[in-house]
Amino acid sequence: MMSEYNEILENPVSDSAGTPLSCGIQFLTDFWKEKYLQEYIKNGGSKLKFVTGRPGSGKTHFLRLMSSIAAGENYKTVWFSAKDVWMHDFKEVYVEIFRQSGLLDCLELLSRQIIKDMGFDNQEIPADMKFFDYLCQNGMGDAMNKREIRTLLKQMFLDNPMLDNNFALACSMLTGSILGYPILEDPSRDMLLAWLEGDRTVKLSQLRSLGFYPSRITKFNARHMLRSLAEVIRLSGFCGLFIVVDDLEILISRSSLEPVHYTKMKREDTYESIRQLIDDIDSMKNIMFVYGFDRELMDNENAGLKAYQALWMRIQNEIVGERFNRFSDMVDLDLLAAQEYTPDVIVSISESLARARKNTAAVPLNMDAAKEIAAQAHTGAVGVPKLIQIAMEEVSQKCMI
């Protein structure tokens, strides 16, 4: 039964009557939606946030819920775990973001914009026909229209100061291949995509045959390439790029069961990579990064965030108050729970969880149990959402006896 509760909590759309934890967490999700997704990021800003808390505090649920909200606000969303992607080399982070961002879909949307700018209706072009073939079929494949396509591609990509020149040229070629002009053979198209994805097997000499003189994507230029990717996503009609990186506490894990193991050097390289991202975030546009991790990553003095002063100085809160600050870049879900998860809210969450369970009967908590959880949350090692799960499991088992 506990696994069923976990599945419900990690799925932000599991409950048709509202997400199981939305009763308490809306205090923050509504704020992020309004202030960041609908305003700051959408209007060209970029932000980096950290979300932490005790085990069972609802970090993963919160991150999945925000990712779902961002998708609903017309953002491209990316989600991955630090257990699956090496974090010490930002190139690996960029590659994972690139793979999930659907660049070709964005370029397809941009090709339709070019068709519209040339005064044509994309709906009139047969689905199996490229735009330039359509022009030729109707006697309009002349030099003037060729020049117009090239001019619009140049204005859209090469003249955009937010785009790396090589990234812009690759996108221009790929968009031209979608339009049917300039012609790009399939092997060349695949080679360009492989280069954009950081594939080291691509020979740069082969790219030069296309009139393309790029350098390899490395951890040193990957942030610049990410900025270019975000700009193409914005141009294609999305509000921006919302990126979630969960399970960052893997950096200090010593368990042999974990899929990756970070040495001291790799851990410090990861901290330095995040520090550089913080310093560069203002040069980016329409990007929001959110890192999630257990509190241990903050509390561990020898290997945690505090051990790398260059990073810790940038993310610690200069002013710490008793009230939860929704503008804070270091989001403490335990502090949020202490403030917002009143006994009434805890009862409401348990009722939502009970409704969300599909296969077995579940009993919501009463007010006495909710008060006990609220009191226990201040001193225990487990977060409020996990305490609710445990309490509901115990109640259900008693009812079955």
Side-chain angles (χ1 to χ4, degrees):
M1 290 185 183
M2 187 63 72
S3 62
E4 185 179 353
Y5 280 119
N6 289 335
E7 182 180 353
I8 291 170
L9 288 171
E10 290 183 1
N11 183 359
V13 292
S14 60
D15 183 5
S16 60
T19 56
L21 296 185
S22 62
C23 302
I25 210 69
Q26 276 182 332
F27 175 77
L28 185 58
T29 57
D30 288 352
F31 183 83
W32 276 26
K33 177 180 177 180
E34 176 188 355
K35 299 300 183 182
Y36 294 107
L37 299 181
Q38 295 179 345
E39 296 179 10
Y40 184 66
I41 306 299
K42 183 178 180 180
N43 294 330
S46 286
K47 196 66 179 173
L48 193 148
K49 296 272 191 179
F50 300 90
V51 177
T52 189
R54 290 171 291 183
S57 60
K59 295 182 299 299
T60 297
H61 174 84
F62 171 76
L63 295 174
R64 290 197 182 280
L65 180 55
M66 277 309 308
S67 186
S68 178
I69 291 171
E73 291 295 317
N74 195 34
Y75 282 78
K76 277 280 188 179
T77 60
V78 172
W79 172 289
F80 61 92
S81 169
K83 295 179 179 179
D84 301 323
V85 176
W86 284 110
M87 301 298 298
H88 67 286
D89 185 344
F90 196 80
K91 176 198 167 185
E92 299 299 320
V93 176
Y94 159 79
V95 167
E96 184 61 29
I97 295 171
F98 179 87
R99 287 173 178 168
Q100 294 190 37
S101 64
L103 177 67
L104 285 179
D105 293 336
C106 294
L107 297 182
E108 175 70 35
L109 293 172
L110 289 173
S111 71
R112 295 176 187 176
Q113 182 61 47
I114 288 176
I115 292 171
K116 181 180 178 181
D117 291 344
M118 290 185 64
F120 294 89
D121 185 354
N122 189 72
Q123 300 298 323
E124 297 178 357
I125 303 172
D128 58 347
M129 181 178 291
K130 293 188 176 183
F131 174 57
F132 192 73
D133 294 335
Y134 171 80
L135 291 178
C136 293
Q137 187 181 70
N138 290 275
M140 293 181 287
D142 52 33
M144 183 176 294
N145 279 325
K146 287 182 177 180
R147 184 170 65 250
E148 182 68 9
I149 292 174
R150 285 185 176 276
T151 298
L152 290 172
L153 287 171
K154 180 175 182 294
Q155 291 174 351
M156 181 174 285
F157 297 110
L158 297 173
D159 293 345
N160 189 328
M162 286 297 295
L163 295 179
D164 171 84
N165 188 66
N166 289 320
F167 195 100
L169 185 56
C171 288
S172 176
M173 290 179 178
L174 291 168
T175 307
S177 72
I178 294 172
L179 294 167
Y181 182 82
I183 296 173
L184 187 66
E185 301 295 335
D186 287 346
S188 298
R189 171 183 173 277
D190 294 341
M191 191 162 50
L192 282 175
L193 286 171
W195 173 76
L196 285 168
E197 199 174 310
D199 189 342
R200 294 190 63 83
T201 64
V202 175
K203 295 182 179 179
L204 298 183
S205 59
Q206 292 177 307
L207 290 170
R208 295 188 188 106
S209 64
L210 301 173
F212 186 47
Y213 300 91
S215 55
R216 293 199 182 279
I217 298 175
T218 67
K219 65 179 181 181
F220 301 107
N221 62 9
R223 290 186 301 278
H224 189 51
M225 301 299 282
L226 176 61
R227 185 179 77 168
S228 300
L229 176 61
E231 176 65 4
V232 170
I233 288 172
R234 183 195 68 82
L235 288 172
S236 66
F238 290 91
C239 293
L241 186 56
F242 188 84
I243 304 162
V244 172
V245 183
D246 200 5
D247 304 316
L248 201 64
E249 67 276 2
I250 189 67
L251 294 174
I252 59 173
S253 175
R254 289 294 175 264
S255 173
S256 60
L257 300 178
E258 297 292 357
V260 297
H261 172 71
Y262 281 83
T263 62
K264 182 176 185 294
M265 181 175 294
K266 285 184 177 179
R267 182 171 61 247
E268 291 188 349
D269 285 346
T270 300
Y271 293 150
E272 175 61 17
S273 177
I274 297 174
R275 195 276 303 170
Q276 291 175 2
L277 181 61
I278 292 174
D279 289 351
D280 285 352
I281 200 71
D282 289 337
S283 68
M284 301 180 181
K285 288 187 177 182
N286 308 102
I287 299 180
M288 186 166 183
F289 266 94
V290 187
Y291 288 91
F293 50 86
D294 285 345
R295 179 173 296 282
E296 184 186 2
L297 190 64
M298 288 179 58
D299 295 340
N300 190 313
E301 298 284 347
N302 297 321
L305 295 172
K306 295 177 182 178
Y308 198 81
Q309 282 297 309
L311 174 60
W312 180 245
M313 288 174 62
R314 287 164 171 79
I315 63 177
Q316 64 180 325
N317 296 322
E318 295 182 5
I319 301 176
V320 180
E322 295 181 0
R323 298 287 294 175
F324 181 84
N325 179 10
R326 290 184 290 183
F327 279 108
S328 175
D329 291 338
M330 181 63 73
V331 178
D332 186 342
L333 291 185
D334 294 324
L335 182 59
L336 173 64
Q339 176 178 304
E340 295 299 317
Y341 286 13
T342 63
D344 287 336
V345 171
I346 291 172
V347 170
S348 297
I349 292 172
S350 70
E351 291 172 347
S352 294
L353 280 170
R355 287 195 302 268
R357 291 186 64 177
K358 301 179 178 67
N359 300 325
T360 57
V363 180
L365 301 178
N366 58 34
M367 186 58 68
D368 289 338
K371 289 179 180 178
E372 185 178 337
I373 288 175
Q376 186 178 352
H378 292 284
T379 57
V382 179
V384 172
K386 191 69 174 180
L387 291 174
I388 295 173
Q389 293 181 61
I390 294 171
M392 289 187 68
E393 177 68 16
E394 291 175 350
V395 172
S396 297
Q397 288 179 348
K398 288 179 181 179
C399 291
M400 293 173 61
I401 296 175

